[in-house]
Amino acid sequence: MSLRLHNTLTGTKDVFEPITRGHVGMYTCGPTVWNFAHVGNLRAFLFYDLVRRHLKVSGYAVEHVMNLTDIDDRILDQAMHAGITIGEYVKPYVAAFFEDMAALRTQQAEHYPRATEHIPEMVEMISELIEHEYAYVADGDVYFRIASFPSYGALSRLDRSGLKPGARVATDKYDKESVSDFALWKKAQPGDEKLGAAWDAPFGRGRPGWHIECSAMSKRYLGETLDIHAGGVDLMFPHHENEIAQSEAANHKQFARFWLHSEHLADATGEKMSKSAGGFTTLRDLSEAGYDPVAVRFFLMAGAHYRSRLRLSDEALRAAAEQVRRLREFADRVRRSTPGPVEDGALLKRIGEVRAGYREALDDDLNLPQGVGLVFELAREANAALDAGRVGESGREALLQLIGDFDAHLDVIRVEEPGLAEEVERLIAEREAARKERDFSRSDGIRDELRQKGIALEDSKDGVRWRRVR
Ligand code: AMP
Ligand code: ZN
């Protein structure tokens, strides 16, 4: 069966087909780097990783863009208090974000555009909107006129009787009670210059609102129509509604064909985890408490279907760590096994069924928890068969394939020595850069250097993979 994804736009699970055969353009709303990401944010980012990986498993080339919001009200506020520029203020949080992503083993997106590096694209789009009267200037700010966009609110099925045309809201985050014209551009305030947070524009010096950045940057990297746009469910309104209004008004094209929204992570009390609400947990907190980031990855990805709420607790994290341990032990055992004297035909058939069932679960709106359930059932049976010497050459091969299947999404099997992965990844990136420059003696040199460390590289369609040899 083909891949079906729940599309918020239609409210149904729809068969996924990209515009260009074999190629998917995907935009995902990334972090606001005003602080460390909390585990709730990480759930959203790992959801993007799941989508990305399953698209690749499905044979697509993926061009994935994840923005970094490096300017917003909170960042300005914090930078002002610290007496530094916004660029200086966000620096450690940008670094922390990439460290978290690496620790959680997310695949790298093709682009991580930063808002402050794409101001001209935003200014251009805002100018376009003003020219066609979708936007207007008021007191040096620029607002989007929602009355000019009749389908405003379609994504979140907004009750349009609540719309207040003409009323304006300057803050980036607001609720359904304050549906009204929203800010595309905010006039420079006296303090903004010192913070490095003001730019010239034909409609006046200032800084962009939050929503316009995603519209402008997605267009810059992926064009006017995205195959997939994903984000946490809290972004559906107003952020995604505003993105649609801006982009479709400016481009006269559908903005995104599939909208995917992942549910919240709740804290132990059942409340949505959020930074503004105070109690939030970061990956650093969990590492200090002794949890392996890979177990955190497993919990956030496979602890619940992405459209269900998930609750963070020590018990759930411990259970996830134990599941990772069992998967690793199983993989180790299969890898080290020598083919037994008999081949159990029934087991072979079961492995085939489980592989198909796993794939079908993922194709059915990315139901990883269901797929993982099948794997654990089979692992029990396979362990018993290994004990009894009933796993022959074909059985072993089929089990290795199944392990490859689930680890293409979970990526929990490889066990790393501290520091080694970073060093290897750094050298791989350096080698990639050398190859791009056609400096093949340098790239071959790096391959040899790695080889001496006992690391072999394999070029695959998913990029460069490495494994331990020797
Ligand atoms: P932000 O840094 O606030 O812009 O959020 C980055 C991403 O995290 C967005 O996709 C949000 O929807 C998502 N997010 C924020 N809080 C949570 C939460 N408690 N659970 C899951 N996702 C969240
Ligand atoms: Zn966005």
Side-chain angles (χ1 to χ4, degrees):
M1 272 280 271
S2 47
L3 172 59
R4 284 99 62 211
L5 296 172
H6 184 273
N7 186 352
T8 309
L9 211 50
T10 58
T12 50
K13 274 188 217 172
D14 301 338
V15 173
F16 176 73
E17 288 287 352
I19 302 168
T20 308
R21 232 188 113 169
H23 182 279
V24 179
M26 171 162 86
Y27 187 89
T28 59
C29 292
T32 305
V33 281
W34 76 285
N35 205 323
F36 296 105
H38 60 64
V39 198
N41 301 134
L42 300 179
R43 184 183 189 197
F45 305 154
L46 284 169
F47 166 61
Y48 307 157
D49 192 51
L50 175 62
V51 180
R52 178 191 168 90
R53 284 169 182 262
H54 193 58
L55 288 168
K56 288 192 161 195
V57 164
S58 308
Y60 294 110
V62 180
E63 187 157 13
H64 176 195
V65 178
M66 182 157 167
N67 69 299
L68 267 64
T69 299
D70 59 356
I71 176 165
D72 91 328
D73 295 338
R74 291 167 299 185
I75 293 174
L76 260 76
D77 231 43
Q78 302 282 331
M80 179 133 64
H81 278 107
I84 52 181
T85 66
I86 56 169
E88 287 160 347
Y89 176 78
V90 301
K91 212 168 176 190
Y93 300 115
V94 171
F97 163 72
F98 286 111
E99 277 165 32
D100 287 354
M101 292 297 96
L104 290 169
R105 302 186 174 185
T106 62
Q107 288 187 350
Q108 277 206 2
E110 279 61 36
H111 310 277
Y112 292 100
R114 292 173 61 154
T116 56
E117 291 168 4
H118 295 78
I119 305 290
E121 288 91 334
M122 298 179 211
V123 169
E124 188 185 323
M125 193 175 253
I126 296 170
S127 300
E128 180 84 18
L129 291 171
I130 295 174
E131 191 184 327
H132 294 98
E133 296 183 11
Y134 288 107
Y136 59 92
V137 182
D139 278 341
D141 296 336
V142 183
Y143 289 89
F144 186 92
R145 191 192 317 273
I146 50 171
S148 70
F149 192 76
S151 60
Y152 187 87
L155 180 73
S156 58
R157 288 156 186 77
L158 191 72
D159 175 6
R160 289 176 55 91
S161 64
L163 261 67
K164 299 194 194 75
R168 300 196 288 263
V169 54
T171 48
D172 285 331
K173 303 212 173 181
Y174 49 90
D175 57 27
K176 295 201 182 187
E177 269 57 66
S178 42
V179 189
S180 44
D181 294 354
F182 58 91
L184 300 171
W185 189 257
K186 303 178 192 192
K187 179 179 159 180
Q189 301 300 316
D192 292 355
E193 302 292 344
K194 248 178 47 195
L195 298 175
W199 290 266
D200 280 327
F203 33 82
R205 196 165 168 78
R207 64 179 171 98
W210 169 39
H211 314 292
I212 193 70
E213 71 175 70
C214 290
S215 284
M217 296 195 293
S218 61
K219 182 176 178 177
R220 158 78 172 72
Y221 292 94
L222 298 171
E224 291 173 335
T225 302
L226 314 172
D227 290 307
I228 295 177
H229 192 313
V233 68
D234 58 316
L235 299 187
M236 199 190 299
F237 179 87
H239 184 54
H240 291 159
E241 294 289 5
N242 293 355
E243 284 187 34
I244 293 172
Q246 297 160 157
S247 293
E248 298 194 353
N251 304 329
H252 312 288
K253 294 246 176 73
Q254 182 177 30
F255 177 45
R257 296 170 62 246
F258 275 75
W259 280 92
L260 311 184
H261 288 103
S262 58
E263 253 303 334
H264 287 142
L265 177 79
D267 60 20
T269 68
E271 290 293 310
K272 176 200 161 194
M273 188 175 288
S274 82
K275 282 176 212 153
S276 35
F280 69 89
T281 309
T282 65
L283 188 62
R284 279 162 186 72
D285 298 332
L286 293 180
S287 296
E288 271 165 35
Y291 293 111
D292 179 351
V294 176
V296 177
R297 173 183 173 87
F298 184 91
F299 165 69
L300 291 173
M301 278 181 112
H305 184 261
Y306 77 90
R307 287 195 293 121
S308 302
R309 271 200 168 217
L310 176 65
R311 191 188 277 219
L312 181 72
S313 70
D314 283 314
E315 199 185 354
L317 287 169
R318 275 198 296 270
E322 172 58 16
Q323 284 180 300
V324 169
R325 194 194 61 74
R326 278 166 55 201
L327 289 175
R328 284 179 171 169
E329 187 178 73
F330 176 60
D332 263 357
R333 180 160 190 209
V334 174
R335 281 181 188 154
R336 280 201 294 263
S337 67
T338 43
V342 274
E343 190 78 81
D344 182 339
L347 179 71
L348 261 184
K349 184 156 165 277
R350 270 284 292 150
I351 302 170
E353 284 164 5
V354 168
R355 287 192 70 198
Y358 177 84
R359 176 63 187 261
E360 172 53 22
L362 271 293
D363 277 347
D364 184 15
D365 196 27
L366 308 168
N367 200 336
L368 185 60
Q370 186 179 319
V372 168
L374 297 174
V375 169
F376 274 111
E377 262 174 55
L378 184 85
R380 265 191 296 276
E381 296 164 38
N383 276 325
L386 285 163
D387 289 340
R390 288 188 286 109
V391 179
E393 195 85 60
S394 309
R396 182 174 178 277
E397 195 47 47
L399 287 174
L400 287 172
Q401 282 169 342
L402 174 69
I403 291 164
D405 290 347
F406 70 73
D407 213 40
H409 302 105
L410 290 174
D411 199 357
V412 295
I413 296 299
R414 68 191 146 93
V415 183
E416 278 152 13
E417 284 122 282
L420 178 76
E422 288 87 315
E423 167 78 342
V424 172
E425 298 293 341
R426 190 182 62 73
L427 285 167
I428 289 177
E430 225 172 85
R431 175 169 167 266
E432 285 306 290
R435 289 212 290 188
K436 265 200 192 126
E437 316 255 36
R438 312 193 66 76
D439 182 355
F440 297 116
S441 68
R442 174 85 189 111
S443 68
D444 288 346
I446 293 172
R447 181 186 276 271
D448 294 344
E449 186 184 336
L450 282 166
R451 187 65 218 212
Q452 299 223 314
K453 290 184 200 292
I455 303 292
L457 299 183
E458 285 163 349
D459 294 309
S460 77
K461 69 177 176 19
D462 292 335
V464 181
R465 288 209 210 113
W466 59 276
R467 64 188 167 82
R468 292 229 60 151
V469 284
R470 194 197 289 153

